[in-house]
Amino acid sequence: MSIWWSLHLRREAASVPLARRLLLGTMETAGVDPDISFDLSVALSEACANAVEHGGAVGVRDETEAYRVTAYLDGDRCRIEVSDSGPGFPPAAGRRRPSLAEHGRGLHLIEELADHVRFGNRPGRRGAVVSFDKMLKWRDDALLKVS
């Protein structure tokens, strides 16, 4: 069995804990190990906060603009994607920042918490896409446990 869901959220701070709680609830119900759930929820929070902060038109803070979160729990893997309609990421050479920089620590944290991470821009359209995945560990009483 697999589970997936997608949210269309307004670019406002209150949307971040909403997405995080939905992910944590889904993973708890499915029986995912709490440590894995926590890592993914922190990574999701960072990706959502990035979309809220940077996911709109340059120089405009319009909370009516939205971003999308999609999560897939399938087999032994969870994949999460957060996409927005902002200016997107700069070219790869200019994107990496030291971990002590004022901005960019959230992206570094996502890289540390997930197994595979992709930062990119939406093909043919404005916007950034952050996607990451992680191998799942299951509790003994898991509903979706992979044998």
Side-chain angles (χ1 to χ4, degrees), residues 56-78:
V58 177
V60 176
R61 177 64 182 207
D62 182 0
E63 292 181 350
T64 63
E65 290 183 337
Y67 67 100
R68 182 174 301 278
V69 176
T70 306
Y72 306 88
L73 278 76
D74 191 22
D76 62 351
R77 182 166 301 280
C78 177

Side-chain angles (χ1 to χ4, degrees), residues 6-9 48 51 66-70 81-85 130:
S6 186
L7 300 170
H8 189 80
L9 299 166
C48 289
Y67 67 100
R68 182 174 301 278
V69 176
T70 306
E81 182 175 287
V82 177
S83 61
D84 62 47
S85 58
V130 175

Side-chain angles (χ1 to χ4, degrees), residues 2 7 9 12 31 35 45 57 65 68 77 82-83 86 88 98 118 128 132 136 139:
S2 63
L7 300 170
L9 299 166
E12 57 189 31
D35 291 337
S45 294
E65 290 183 337
R68 182 174 301 278
R77 182 166 301 280
V82 177
S83 61
R118 291 163 295 286
F132 51 95
L136 298 175
R139 298 187 324 253

